[in-house]
Amino acid sequence: MSAEPWPEGVARHVLDTVDSTNAFAARLAPDLSGPAWIMAGLQTAARGRRGRAWSSPRGNFSATLILRPTERPEIVALRSFAAALALRDACVALTGLPDSFTLKWPNDVLLNGGKLAGILLESLGQGAQVQHLAIGIGVNLIAAPDPALVEPGALRPVSLLGETGLRITPTALLDALAPAYARWEQAFTTQGFAPLRNAWLAHAARLGEPIRARTGQTTRDGIFETVDATGALVMMTAEGRVAIPAAEVFF
C-alpha cells in the first residue's frame, strides 16, 4: 500500500522525549502559522481524561494536532469525531481489517471490542473564543495498560500488536493519520457535522444496545439510540429519551 502524501500546509514535529505532546503544542501555539502535528517517542508527564495520569511505553503512539479554529466552542468540540474517524481510517489502511475497528462515544477507538486508543481535546483561549485546539491521541500500538489499573466496568485495554500480530511504527501511523484527518477536517469545514455524524454512526459500537452513561454523580441506563446534531449521546431510558452532552459510557 502506497502512503498518501503529507497534507499541504501542515507542520510535522517528531520529538524523542517530551513532557506531553499537548503541553508542547500549547507552547508552540502562539507562533503557529498553520496546523501542526507533534509526535513524541516518550512522554514524561502525559495525562488522559479528567487529568488522569497516562503512561505509555516507547513504541506506542503519542501525538497532538494543534489547530487554530474559527468556530464557536461547541462547534470546535465536534472535531473529536473527525479525529476518531481519521484514526479509524488510518488503522484500517495500515491493517486491512475494516471490521475490527469501531468507535465508542465520545472519543475512543476500539479494536475487537477493547480500547485501543483515546482522544483528548484541550482548547486554549480566553472567554468564549477558542484560539487554539489541541487534539491529543494515544494509541496502544505495541502494549496496553495493565487491566488491573483500569476503572471497574471500563473496557479492557488492548494493543494493535496483541490483537492482530501486526507491528506498526508510530511514524507509519502518523503518516497515515495526518492525511486522513485532513480529509475529515475538509469535510467538516465545508459541509458541517452531518457527514461526520453519519460516518461515525456507521461505525459506532453498541448502537441500539443497552449502555450506561455516567455524568458526575448521575448514572443513566438505557438503549443507545443515536448521536444528535450537536454530538450529544441520545439514549432511551425508563424515563424517556435523553440527550447527554458529556458523560463516561460503560458497556
Side-chain angles (χ1 to χ4, degrees):
M1 186 198 74
S2 60
E4 289 184 78
W6 187 263
E8 189 175 346
V10 178
R12 185 177 189 272
H13 302 267
V14 177
L15 313 171
D16 181 74
T17 305
V18 74
D19 49 355
S20 88
T21 55
N22 270 25
F24 185 91
R27 295 192 292 271
L28 200 66
D31 301 319
L32 280 180
S33 58
W37 280 97
I38 300 109
M39 186 180 79
L42 193 66
Q43 297 184 102
T44 59
R47 62 194 183 280
R49 293 188 65 208
R50 304 183 190 277
R52 295 168 181 149
W54 177 278
S55 178
S56 191
R58 195 176 287 276
N60 278 356
F61 181 83
S62 302
T64 296
L65 171 63
I66 186 148
L67 304 161
R68 185 175 288 159
T70 58
E71 306 91 353
R72 302 187 311 277
E74 65 271 22
I75 304 299
V76 170
L78 294 172
R79 283 182 171 82
S80 65
F81 291 88
L85 286 163
L87 183 54
R88 183 188 176 278
D89 285 351
C91 288
V92 169
L94 291 168
T95 65
L97 300 169
D99 296 335
S100 299
F101 298 92
T102 54
L103 303 173
K104 176 176 176 279
W105 189 92
N107 48 15
D108 292 338
V109 177
L110 310 185
L111 170 56
N112 297 336
K115 181 173 175 176
L116 174 71
I119 297 167
L120 176 68
L121 269 63
E122 293 185 325
S123 56
L124 313 169
Q126 296 179 331
Q129 181 63 39
V130 176
Q131 292 173 334
H132 292 93
L133 176 71
I135 304 174
I137 299 176
V139 185
N140 302 325
L141 289 179
I142 64 164
D146 182 344
L149 303 177
V150 175
E151 184 178 0
L155 289 179
R156 67 185 174 98
V158 299
S159 72
L160 190 75
L161 179 62
E163 291 294 309
T164 69
L166 298 171
R167 188 177 286 273
I168 303 294
T169 66
T171 301
L173 180 55
L174 180 64
D175 287 342
L177 178 57
Y181 183 86
R183 286 196 304 274
W184 286 112
E185 175 73 17
Q186 172 74 8
F188 182 58
T189 54
T190 58
Q191 302 172 58
F193 182 51
L196 279 68
R197 175 179 176 267
N198 291 338
W200 192 95
L201 286 168
H203 303 297
R206 303 295 176 96
L207 191 63
E209 297 181 26
I211 61 170
R212 173 170 291 169
R214 189 175 69 202
T215 307
Q217 301 302 312
T218 303
T219 299
R220 293 184 176 95
D221 291 291
I223 302 298
F224 176 21
E225 287 201 340
T226 189
V227 168
D228 71 14
T230 71
L233 174 78
V234 179
M235 291 173 65
M236 177 57 76
T237 71
E239 291 77 40
R241 184 176 285 108
V242 293
I244 303 171
E248 290 193 78
V249 170
F250 299 88
F251 292 162

